[in-house]
Amino acid sequence: MNNNVKFKGPMKHFMRWPLYLSALVMLLDLLVFIVSVKAGILVSVGTVIYIFIAVKLFRYHKPLIINDMIAFANQYDVVEKRMLEELALPYAIMDMEGRMIWSNRIFSEITGRDQFYKKNISTVFPDITPDKLPVAEEQEISEMSTHFGERIYRVSMQRVTMGEVVSHADILENMSQNVSLIAMYLYDETELKEYIQKNEDNKLVVALAYLDNYEEALESVEDVRRSLLIALIDRKITKYFSNFDGLVKKLEKDKYLLIMRQSSLETLKEQRFHILDEVKTVNIGNEMAVTLSIGVGLNASTYIQNYEYSRIAIEMALGRGGDQVVIKNGNNITYIGGKAQQMEKSTRVKARVKAQALKEFMSTKDRVVVMGHKITDVDALGAGIGIYRAGKTLGKPVHIVINDPTTSIRPLMSGFMENPDYEPSMFVDSNQAKELVDNNTVVIVVDTNKPSYTECQDLLYMTKTIVVLDHHRRGSEVIQNAVLSYVEPYASSSCEMIAEILQYFADGLKLRSIEADCIYAGIMIDTNNFTTRAGVRTFEAAAFLRRCGADVTRVRKMLRDNIDSYKARAEAVRTAEIYRDYFAIARCPSEGLESPTVVGAQAANELLNIAGVKASFVLTSYNNEVYISARAIDEVNVQVMMERMGGGGHLNIAGAQVKDTMDETERMLKEIIDQLYQEGEREK
């Protein structure tokens, strides 16, 4: 049989080299004939003998060589299988559904399964679900990490097409050319992961800790006890962070620099930084509890950048009211704490300094454009009116951006639009504002510090002079390029802040009664008739406005509701659901209402008057979005809840806008309430 076997390819040419050499010898014989006939005859005889011997040897050895090659091929298949069997790398073969077909010895030893284990791979590695397999046409390799026992493996699964192999099989017919298998390899990365984790744990974390109300707390203590109060606070902070292998360095009387490992930070996060509560327990007769704010920076490219992150974080913590921890991890920001109300500052030094800075910026520009948040409310309008009067005192043209006036502000706006003392261009929309704003314009944002919430976000990029005046707590999204930012979360309203600024703005500034009415109305609305977040400075601002001609009766008439709004508010209260015994959740009907979001906010205030309700949430559908108005008295932090839904605000007054259905939004809200219960965010 072997005589009929023929070689092909390189082997064919290799086996024929004696024939090729015979042709060369015959050519040399011909040349010898030309030189000498006798010599040619002699060489010819030798050539014949050479060809005869070569043919004999070829015919004799060819079957032997073919037999040896067949034997080698058979042995090679065994050797190849043996090598795969003994391969140190764990290896297995599965079908496209993940069913095991075969595995090598080391794979079998690791998993404790037989080499011909026939069940699905998920019974061995639960993490390898069908969606993790490389089954898609364009997907050839899939990688993932998984745990098995105490080891960590990187699993590499490669799709192998078997169509060509199957097509040459003798025992199978009509098989598809797309037949594929999955080859799986395991790479032990336990030590590598451990080293990576150790490196992560030992990364440097920089933090800044500030005492929020240091001066106020000292003033409430006798002089002889002040040093003791400071010493107790220092000792508590130093001891707390030393327990976590942290270094504490006091920078100033109320400021500390903290350095720790990232592993220590993770432990502190798990414990929710209970140093915030421990500091409040320091009491030696001080009437006011001391609160602490911490800003943490980590995972920057340099140590200096880490410190910069911590500085940004502490500014956010203070801007959000203090008594909390803000962690800035690259672009990710985490908030912990923030349950206490920020104490109102008794001094007005900051308001006076900000007023002078605002005057300088307005004096150097040709025009002033002021805008509030979308769906402008009474507080934003009142603040805009205050800025209008300040700009007019300096002789500058002032424009207030309002796109769609709601029913709550139309009575106030009509007093200006129908008054010949005010120019028609006092109120403009976004398109008109874009034509007015240039580098010689100062854009003043009131009642919001989020660029996406402003009436016209494009204006923020059309000038370099931007001023932010707001009373809401800062979130992750802030106006970055502001030349002057005055954000005071303790203030009851933006109108309160503006009223204070106007008192220090210029000696010749005089508010007209209609302007005072508008600013006074803003304070009334945001404080719910001076019952919510109304401090000493709130009443002082109201007294200033009263002296300027604000009339309470006139304001009350302008803020009255129509019958449809009143009915909608009553319906929301009637259908409210009490969730988890303390949370009132209601839906406000929006059909036929021009300003349903305002009605929703009013309904949320109404629900707080129900005994046992600690927080209220009113959902209102408007412009294909669901607006949430959240209110609380003092036991629940609704700001944290609204931030998780993309909104923000204060501890007891907050809101959010969700692009989803009413049912889905309510479900999300209830999930957040459940999460906060589990995390212990709610005050017990």
Side-chain angles (χ1 to χ4, degrees), residues 503 540 542-550:
Q503 296 178 59
E540 289 176 349
F544 163 72
L545 296 171
R546 289 280 283 149
R547 290 194 298 270
C548 292

Side-chain angles (χ1 to χ4, degrees), residues 261-278:
R261 292 191 180 96
Q262 190 163 315
S263 56
S264 300
L265 176 63
E266 295 301 321
T267 305
L268 290 171
K269 288 169 65 177
E270 291 176 2
Q271 298 181 0
R272 308 298 294 175
F273 278 88
H274 56 76
I275 183 62
L276 299 178
D277 297 322
E278 290 186 13

